[in-house]
Amino acid sequence: MAKITFIQPDGSTQVVEATPGTTVMEAAKLNGVPGIEAECGGACACATCHVYVSDDWREQVGAPSEMEEDMLDFAFDVRESSRLSCQIKVTDALDGLVLSVPAKQF
Ligand code: FES
């Protein structure tokens, strides 16, 4: 299991347990993390699962694919650290990952 911390725009945090092999978006939805809409169900087709990866984790999480980059164009307030959480696969190496949820998804 990997522990993932989600930081809300108001500064509140929620730590969830994510199963390796699933996605960060799935872990967020399963645990009712506010602000992760994931309208397309993980198909990289909606950009409503947008998160910011904390600086310490950006290298480990890696860069978005070209398809994800294209979809991120539709997200709100995109930054260098933006990723679509349905495109981040959970692995044991991501135990301790810290992500921020944007103020809104679109
Ligand atoms: Fe739709 Fe991630 S859930 S792009």
Side-chain angles (χ1 to χ4, degrees):
M1 292 298 247
K3 278 193 180 14
I4 301 175
T5 300
F6 290 88
I7 305 173
Q8 292 295 326
D10 68 1
S12 63
T13 61
Q14 185 174 349
V15 182
V16 309
E17 297 263 3
T19 309
T22 64
T23 67
V24 169
M25 175 280 278
E26 287 168 326
K29 293 300 282 179
L30 267 176
N31 290 280
V33 175
I36 305 293
E37 314 271 341
E39 282 174 6
C40 78
C44 197
C46 72
T48 62
C49 63
H50 179 204
V51 292
Y52 303 115
V53 178
S54 66
D55 287 346
D56 291 352
W57 282 94
R58 282 184 50 197
E59 199 176 323
Q60 184 74 35
V61 171
S65 67
E66 208 169 302
M67 183 170 91
E68 184 182 338
E69 287 259 23
D70 288 348
M71 194 46 59
L72 272 168
D73 288 345
F74 296 96
F76 170 77
D77 190 15
V78 176
R79 303 173 193 168
E80 285 275 298
S81 59
S82 290
R83 289 291 314 265
L84 295 178
S85 59
C86 71
Q87 301 301 304
I88 305 174
K89 272 262 184 270
V90 176
T91 65
D92 287 327
L94 293 188
D95 186 32
L97 176 64
V98 180
L99 304 165
S100 297
V101 179
K104 57 181 185 172
Q105 286 291 359
F106 45 81

